[in-house]
């Protein structure tokens, strides 16, 4: 066998397929198998959403974004920790449960006789994120309204229409942003019409009322997954990842088939004013790709946009279970722009080159120039062959690079957006909570780290009775209902 052929067969994520062997169970129980000590200041609820079911009938999904949404929670109280998990009873889930087979085309899987929502889009599996809002809990998928859940039992209450101000075909993303002081929610959705593509920007009051829905024109039907929020602006990194709806509507075509990477069209930063949703500026920034932003802040008249920047999209690397087989790179980047003049002042990058994702910040410091941030990385990014997230990394803009890192042992894989849980008694201190799958023993657990001492390993391991899915995005709702004041 040639050297190249041997390298292509290298498996840097052995036994990862075990995470997809059987659908996780719906259950609720007190977590008793805890190694180490859970910090006493942790009081509140952690929520995680992600694709949990990958087969129905004879069909097995082939893409990570295809699975039905499963929301899990950890409730921390003086009585201990309670784990709960339930599938979201979305329109897709209910219809397919009743049929006993798959009905709707998925992100990366098509099949004979599959259906599209109203003939033009995917029926959302509601499998991307979950956030508390007002007195309820909302589970989000791509390009569809969120679904309301009971915050304690996770029972599905129904599609959330914001007082009927939105309808089931309103474009709505899985990445809302919240103003912790006012309780407002901002979100967006993309209309991919070929003749007049546009981005809809929404602002909801703390009472859940729609304050505005502003339409911003796009030059191309660009796929946008996330956006940032500063005190004054909503910030969109518009990558040249183009969606052709006509292809999606064709027989046997998936959404993956309809997406095309066109770096020659260039990337842009689109700035919209929070106050009225109108466009402030549009700035050309090269031809890279951004799936997730880290944070946005303002200082001395400049807008600082922090992102995880990739050389190209990664959706084609979400094949189940052959993840990330190609060599891809990413690194944190900061764009400092003058929003009034509409120009880029400078760009700074940090020395971290492994493929990385799921950034998080201390919510008390997210809008500060020298803020630190955490994310999951793939240590074998520079090698061909299957691989998965296996390191938790802390970087700092002030230090200019990696400040701390935890490397998972062999056969242990990290997933679920790492969430910063603030210590209300000490500024800058807190815990990082993320998910672990032990593929060798088919065991799932949640790991708690001292946010400032990752290398020392988890201070507590919360072992679950049964394995669960590899999740996507997570959130934290402190028992007090809000974070303490921002720290300088």
């Amino acid at each position: 066998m040639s050297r190249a052929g041997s390298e292509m067969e290298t498996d840097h994520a052995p036994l990862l397929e075990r995470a997809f062997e059987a659908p996780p169970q719906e259950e609720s129980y007190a977590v008793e198998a805890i190694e180490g000590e859970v910090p006493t200041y942790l009081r509140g609820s952690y929520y995680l959403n992600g694709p949990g079911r990958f087969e129905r009938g004879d069909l097995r999904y082939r893409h990570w974004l295809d699975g039905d949404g499963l929301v899990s929670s950890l409730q921390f109280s003086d009585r201990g920790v309670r784990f709960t998990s339930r599938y979201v009873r979305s329109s897709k889930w209910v219809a397919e449960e009743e049929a006993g087979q798959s009905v709707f085309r998925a992100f990366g899987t098509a099949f004979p006789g599959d259906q599209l929502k109203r003939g033009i889009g995917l029926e959302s599996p509601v499998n991307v994120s979950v956030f508390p809002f007002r007195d309820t809990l909302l589970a989000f998928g791509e390009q569809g309204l969120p679904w309301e859940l009971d915050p304690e039992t996770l029972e599905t209450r129904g599609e959330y229409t914001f007082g009927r101000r939105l309808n089931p075909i309103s474009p709505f993303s899985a990445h809302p942003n919240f103003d912790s002081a006012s309780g407002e929610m901002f979100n967006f959705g993309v209309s991919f019409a070929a003749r007049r593509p546009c981005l809809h920007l929404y602002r909801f009051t703390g009472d859940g009322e729609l304050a505005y829905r502003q339409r911003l024109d796009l030059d191309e039907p660009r796929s946008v997954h996330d956006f940032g929020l500063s005190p004054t602006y909503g910030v969109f990194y518009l990558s040249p990842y183009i969606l052709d709806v006509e292809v999606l509507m064709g027989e046997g075509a998936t959404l993956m088939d309809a997406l095309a990477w066109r770096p020659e069209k260039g990337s842009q930063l689109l700035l919209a004013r929070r106050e009225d949703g109108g466009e402030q500026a549009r700035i050309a920034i090269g031809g890279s790709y951004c799936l997730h932003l880290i944070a946005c802040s303002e200082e001395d008249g400049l807008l600082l946009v922090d992102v995880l920047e990739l050389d190209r999209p990664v959706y084609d690397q979400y094949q189940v279970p052959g993840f990330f087989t190609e060599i891809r790179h990413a690194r944190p980047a900061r764009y400092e722009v003058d929003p009034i003049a509409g120009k880029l002042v400078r760009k700074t990058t940090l020395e971290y080159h492994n493929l990385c994702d799921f950034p998080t910040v201390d919510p008390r410091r997210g809008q500060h120039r020298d803020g630190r941030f955490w994310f999951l990385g793939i240590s074998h990014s520079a090698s061909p062959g299957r691989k998965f997230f296996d390191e938790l990394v802390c970087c700092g803009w002030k230090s200019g690079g990696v400040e701390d890192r935890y490397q998972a042992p062999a056969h242990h894989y990290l997933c679920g957006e790492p969430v910063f849980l603030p210590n209300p008694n000490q500024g800058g201190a807190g815990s990082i909570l993320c998910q672990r799958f032990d593929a060798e023993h088919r065991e799932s657990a949640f790991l708690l780290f001292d946010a400032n001492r990752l290398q020392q390993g988890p201070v507590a391991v919360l072992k679950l009775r049964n394995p669960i899915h590899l999740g996507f995005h997570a959130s934290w709702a402190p028992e007090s209902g809000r974070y303490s004041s921002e720290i300088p």
Side-chain angles (χ1 to χ4, degrees):
M1 180 181 296
S2 68
R3 183 173 183 269
S6 176
E7 286 182 344
M8 287 303 295
E9 294 182 4
T10 300
D11 187 359
H12 300 291
L15 306 180
L16 180 63
E17 64 278 358
R18 291 181 173 180
F20 302 91
E21 287 180 346
Q25 302 178 29
E26 294 185 313
E27 49 193 346
S28 184
Y29 56 84
V31 180
E32 298 175 345
I34 299 178
E35 297 177 357
E37 295 291 333
V38 176
T40 57
Y41 63 79
L42 290 182
R43 294 292 183 268
S45 297
Y46 160 90
Y47 298 105
L48 171 72
N49 195 2
R53 181 169 183 168
F54 285 84
E55 61 180 34
R56 188 177 266 109
D58 296 330
L59 181 71
R60 185 165 184 83
Y61 292 135
R62 301 187 294 269
H63 194 277
W64 199 11
L65 281 166
D66 290 346
D68 291 316
L70 178 69
V71 173
S72 300
S73 70
L74 291 172
Q75 296 174 335
F76 295 83
S77 71
D78 55 7
R79 299 182 301 276
V81 184
R82 186 168 191 84
F83 171 78
T84 303
S85 64
R86 287 181 68 91
Y87 286 97
V88 181
R89 267 58 174 180
S90 65
S91 298
K92 176 182 182 298
W93 193 94
V94 171
E96 295 183 336
E97 281 290 296
E98 292 177 350
Q101 62 184 14
S102 295
V103 174
F104 297 100
R105 186 177 305 178
F107 191 96
T109 306
F111 52 93
D114 60 13
Q115 298 179 22
L116 292 172
K117 182 177 183 176
R118 305 199 178 193
I120 58 173
L122 299 184
E123 189 70 64
S124 174
V126 195
N127 62 4
V128 178
S129 63
V130 58
F131 293 95
F133 180 59
R134 301 176 67 210
D135 57 352
T136 193
L137 183 67
L138 301 181
F140 294 77
E142 293 288 2
Q143 289 300 110
L145 294 183
W147 285 71
E148 183 180 7
L149 312 179
D150 183 288
E152 184 173 345
T153 67
L154 305 184
E155 180 180 357
T156 302
R157 293 173 172 170
E159 197 168 34
Y160 197 78
T161 63
F162 298 91
R164 299 184 179 179
R165 298 299 298 272
L166 301 183
N167 60 56
I169 61 171
S170 300
F172 210 71
S173 87
H175 270 287
N177 270 291
F178 300 87
D179 186 306
S180 59
S182 67
E184 291 179 308
M185 175 201 292
F186 293 78
N187 202 1
F188 73 99
V190 177
S191 174
F192 293 99
R195 292 187 177 180
R196 194 183 175 189
C198 67
L199 185 150
H200 300 260
L201 178 59
Y202 306 91
R203 179 180 182 177
F204 302 93
T205 68
D207 294 328
E209 296 295 322
L210 178 63
Y212 64 65
R213 176 177 180 172
Q214 184 66 262
R215 177 180 176 136
L216 303 167
D217 291 336
L218 298 176
D219 61 340
E220 301 276 356
R222 296 173 182 249
S223 174
V224 186
H225 177 68
D226 189 14
F227 80 114
L229 194 67
S230 79
T232 310
Y233 302 103
V235 183
F236 299 87
Y237 189 120
L238 304 180
S239 305
Y241 201 26
I242 312 302
L243 176 62
D244 188 333
V245 175
E246 295 295 328
V247 172
L248 174 63
M249 294 171 60
E251 184 176 354
T254 67
L255 196 144
M256 271 302 306
D257 296 326
L259 285 167
W261 176 237
R262 301 289 300 275
E264 72 278 4
K265 292 183 176 290
S267 299
Q268 307 166 3
L269 285 181
L270 170 60
L271 313 183
R273 296 181 297 275
R274 279 180 52 164
E275 182 61 30
D276 59 11
E279 180 175 331
Q280 175 66 33
R282 199 173 300 228
I283 304 166
I285 53 170
S288 296
Y289 176 74
C290 174
L291 183 63
H292 292 117
L293 290 84
I294 301 169
C296 296
S297 57
E298 298 175 29
E299 184 175 303
D300 299 330
L302 294 182
L303 172 65
L304 281 60
V305 182
D306 301 340
V307 306
L308 291 183
E309 198 167 60
L310 293 82
D311 54 354
R312 57 173 297 129
V314 291
Y315 283 158
D316 62 334
Q317 300 297 295
Y318 284 8
Q319 302 302 313
V320 178
F323 286 88
F324 302 112
T325 55
E326 295 181 12
I327 297 174
R328 296 287 168 87
H329 300 285
R331 58 175 161 177
R334 165 170 285 175
Y335 289 91
E336 298 183 49
V337 302
D338 183 334
I340 305 302
K343 67 178 183 179
L344 175 64
V345 175
R346 69 179 61 86
K347 176 183 178 181
T348 304
T349 58
L350 301 185
E351 291 303 314
Y352 179 89
H353 299 280
N354 288 342
L355 188 59
C356 53
D357 204 356
F358 302 114
T360 192
V361 298
D362 180 343
R364 302 165 300 184
R365 301 190 69 110
Q367 295 181 346
H368 287 271
R369 170 181 284 274
D370 295 331
R372 307 166 78 205
F373 56 96
W374 294 256
F375 54 84
L376 298 183
I378 299 177
S379 63
H380 293 283
S381 297
S383 301
R386 183 172 67 165
K387 41 197 171 286
F388 202 74
F389 300 105
D390 60 355
E391 60 181 11
L392 175 62
V393 182
C394 174
C395 279
W397 295 106
K398 187 174 183 178
S399 63
V402 174
E403 296 183 357
D404 201 1
R405 186 192 321 241
Y406 166 76
Q407 178 65 53
H411 301 110
H412 286 206
Y413 305 108
L414 305 180
C415 204
E417 175 185 358
V419 175
F420 190 102
L421 316 180
N423 181 342
N425 306 313
Q426 185 178 352
S431 298
I432 295 290
L433 176 60
C434 73
Q435 178 188 5
R436 183 197 74 191
F437 178 65
D438 179 346
E440 184 176 6
H441 299 98
R442 294 184 171 89
E443 293 178 349
S444 289
F446 286 94
L447 307 182
L448 273 167
F449 296 84
D450 182 327
N452 297 315
R453 296 178 176 84
L454 301 182
Q455 194 170 4
Q456 294 183 6
V459 298
V461 179
L462 287 63
K463 293 187 175 181
L464 304 184
R465 293 177 182 175
N466 299 295
I468 64 170
H469 58 317
L470 301 179
F472 283 146
H473 291 289
S475 61
W476 170 247
E479 189 176 58
S480 63
R482 60 179 298 171
Y483 299 112
S484 58
S485 299
E486 283 198 358
I487 51 182

